[in-house]
Amino acid sequence: MIAARNGRPGRARLAALGAYVPERVVTNADMERHVDTSDEWIVTRTGIRERRYAAPEQATSDLAVLAAEDVLRNAGIDAAEIDVVIVPTCTPDHLFPSVSATTAHRVGARNAAAFDLQAACSGFIYGLAQATALVESGIARNVLVVGAEVFSKILDMSDRGTCILFGDAAAGALVTSGDPEATAGFLGFELGADGSQAMDICIPVGGTRIPASQPFAPDQAFLKMNGREVYKFATRVMEESIVRLLDRLELSIADVDLLVAHQANQRIIDHAVKRLGIDESRVFNNLERYGNTSAASIPLALTEARDAGALRPGALVLLVGFGAGLTWASCIVRYEPE
Ligand code: UT7
């Protein structure tokens, strides 16, 4: 429960991870059946080989609940101990109510406040920043952050420039209050937004600018993207954000044990890796199996990195993302789950 500040706040700690991906696998060969594309084009230009799609009856909160339960299981914590549930998402079940309130209710987090966070693919890192602030101000002790997206239901399946890129998933983390003197935890964040490019990724219809009550062309209710402009933005801000964050923390890229970047396009990640000079053995990607799962992509990659042994206790981890807004975010965390 969110309460008044009480005693000496602890230091925010990344205590556990968890994920859920829907069962249905959609390959590039499946994509070839409904748009003029090829496995070869998709793999060379994006690195994606397949993605997951939610079942027709599954909405975003259905994925978020399963991911949240996985985080709670891994954390060994009772849902009633959660103070806040944050769901970063840009594909909510409804404009409102929030996915987070539904998720909190369904996992039994009956003492939790809940809110959604709209920073698109940067949302998970924005959510970690919120969780850190809540914990380190003494307002909350246990904050669950679950990025959850069902992109398959907002894609124009006749637009080859977008439909091949995105997939559905949910994944998240538990941020808890740890030893105030500990060196583990969140070392710093660098968050930003540039609304001048707002319409470069958007869904034109369905909000208050063009309400669904007005006549509209059917394709306007789907995701629209100016891929080239977003690509240019991403390659610029990922590097700039990381350099600013490392400088502020007086760290160098050589101090980083693991880089997990937003899984949008392998070429964008490779560009950042090359520019920063980080060894590829210290970079974890799973884009080829899931495509871009927006707010779920970084926690999903982190969870799989943990399972693959690439994310080890004590590791200094660098996270970086970018997305609609346009937004960007980076974060450095010392991973000490125990
Ligand atoms: O989380 C943030 C989400 N957004 C992103 O991460 C998007 C960032 N942008 C990108 O990843 C890339 O811009 C794309 C993958 C979307 C596109 O790759 P590109 O190398 O920038 O291609 P392009 O848009 O410059 O298009 C090159 C050609 C075009 O044909 P013409 O005009 O040269 O004849 C496109 O029509 O590739 C064509 N094309 C395709 N061809 C086969 C575009 N999509 C496809 C496709 N299959 N799926």
Side-chain angles (χ1 to χ4, degrees):
M1 195 175 308
I2 290 217
R5 289 177 65 132
N6 190 4
R8 190 168 174 216
R11 191 176 168 116
R13 201 166 62 85
L14 179 57
L17 296 161
Y20 167 77
V21 292
E23 276 171 31
R24 185 175 162 211
V25 176
V26 177
T27 63
N28 290 347
D30 295 326
M31 286 289 157
E32 285 173 9
R33 280 185 214 111
H34 57 86
V35 277
D36 179 15
T37 190
S38 66
D39 176 56
E40 199 261 332
W41 192 97
I42 300 173
V43 172
T44 339
R45 298 293 185 110
T46 73
I48 300 165
R49 292 182 188 276
E50 58 188 42
R51 67 289 289 146
R52 301 294 180 103
Y53 279 3
E57 68 280 5
Q58 277 182 314
T60 301
S61 64
D62 299 315
L63 277 57
V65 166
L66 293 166
E69 287 173 347
D70 193 40
V71 177
L72 294 172
R73 237 184 340 264
N74 290 326
I77 189 176
D78 191 278
E81 291 177 59
I82 302 296
D83 302 308
V84 186
V85 175
I86 303 174
V87 176
T89 184
C90 54
T91 53
D93 300 13
H94 311 280
L95 270 180
F96 63 89
S98 64
V99 176
S100 51
T102 305
T103 303
H105 166 68
R106 286 179 51 198
V107 301
R110 59 181 179 276
N111 298 313
F115 64 94
D116 289 7
L117 192 157
Q118 223 289 34
C121 310
S122 310
F124 180 69
I125 301 177
Y126 270 63
L128 291 179
Q130 284 288 309
T132 299
L134 287 163
V135 166
E136 296 193 349
S137 61
I139 291 174
R141 291 184 60 82
N142 297 311
V143 182
L144 189 58
V145 184
V146 181
E149 306 280 11
V150 175
F151 263 78
S152 59
K153 297 189 187 186
I154 59 147
L155 292 173
D156 179 348
M157 291 299 179
S158 65
D159 176 9
R160 66 179 183 174
T162 54
C163 72
I164 52 118
L165 294 173
F166 296 91
D168 305 340
L174 178 71
V175 177
T176 61
S177 175
D179 177 358
E181 309 301 334
T183 50
F186 293 93
L187 275 59
F189 291 90
E190 208 277 331
L191 312 178
D194 178 2
S196 69
Q197 283 185 255
M199 298 313 277
D200 280 341
I201 317 181
C202 66
I203 299 182
V205 162
T208 55
R209 180 68 61 198
I210 310 176
S213 53
Q214 287 179 10
F216 60 88
D219 72 307
Q220 296 298 301
F222 295 116
L223 179 145
K224 300 274 169 212
M225 184 174 71
N226 184 344
R228 275 181 211 179
E229 285 308 311
V230 178
Y231 190 98
K232 281 193 261 173
F233 170 83
T235 47
R236 177 171 59 79
V237 296
M238 273 171 68
E239 184 192 354
E240 287 177 358
S241 177
I242 289 172
V243 168
R244 274 196 295 268
L245 182 59
L246 288 172
D247 283 353
R248 216 174 59 211
L249 296 172
E250 296 181 359
L251 291 168
S252 90
I253 198 72
D255 297 313
V256 172
D257 297 307
L258 186 69
L259 167 67
V260 175
H262 170 45
Q263 304 288 294
N265 185 322
Q266 192 60 49
R267 284 157 56 214
I268 295 175
I269 300 170
D270 290 347
H271 178 89
V273 166
K274 197 166 153 212
R275 298 276 304 176
L276 293 162
I278 185 167
D279 195 272
E280 277 178 30
S281 63
R282 290 187 284 137
V283 181
F284 187 87
N285 294 315
N286 61 1
L287 171 77
E288 64 172 4
R289 284 179 294 120
Y290 302 113
N292 182 344
T293 59
S294 191
S297 96
I298 290 174
L300 178 58
L302 274 174
T303 306
E304 291 206 337
R306 178 203 63 193
D307 294 346
L311 172 62
R312 295 195 191 89
L316 195 67
V317 185
L318 171 59
L319 309 177
V320 64
F322 63 91
L326 300 180
T327 55
W328 70 86
S330 59
C331 157
I332 293 192
V333 56
R334 173 85 58 193
Y335 177 64
E336 288 284 7
E338 294 307 324

